[in-house]
Amino acid sequence: GLLQNRKRPLSAKCHGADGRGQTKVGKKLNLKDYTDAKVQADMKDADMTKAITDGVFADGKEKMKAFKDEFSADEIKDLVGYVRKFKG
């Protein structure tokens, strides 16, 4: 669908097409492996929604841009579901 085509290049750049975060940027930012069941268990849907909507900041620096201007609330909810599908 449309969302599948739009979100994949955005998330894959950092998180990798497989969700493991083993891209150049993902390694630099020490991104979590979304295929890890413990990582998935520790992530709350509300926290993922907030991260996608508002971005992620650490030490005053933007680690992930906000996508609230690019995706509707329903699309962001779908993205959270997409991330959940990586769990092995």
Side-chain angles (χ1 to χ4, degrees), residues 11 19 23 35 47 52 71:
S11 58
T23 64
T35 66
D47 293 335
I52 296 166
F71 296 118

Side-chain angles (χ1 to χ4, degrees), residues 5-88:
N5 294 335
R6 284 178 55 203
K7 73 183 173 226
R8 199 141 175 220
L10 294 171
S11 58
K13 181 179 174 187
C14 299
H15 293 283
D18 62 2
R20 294 181 186 270
Q22 293 301 300
T23 64
K24 185 176 180 181
V25 175
K27 288 177 182 177
K28 182 180 174 188
L29 295 176
N30 197 27
L31 297 183
K32 293 181 170 96
D33 179 353
Y34 292 153
T35 66
D36 184 310
K38 179 168 179 5
V39 168
Q40 286 273 355
D42 290 344
M43 291 191 313
K44 305 294 177 244
D45 286 1
D47 293 335
M48 281 195 282
T49 298
K50 182 171 178 18
I52 296 166
T53 303
D54 299 328
V56 176
F57 295 85
D59 303 321
K61 294 181 183 172
E62 183 182 69
K63 288 183 72 177
M64 183 177 119
K65 73 177 232 163
F67 288 96
K68 63 179 170 259
D69 295 333
E70 295 180 43
F71 296 118
S72 69
D74 284 341
E75 287 175 319
I76 290 171
K77 185 178 177 185
D78 287 348
L79 267 170
V80 171
Y82 179 77
V83 171
R84 291 294 187 200
K85 290 180 183 172
F86 285 119
K87 184 168 74 172

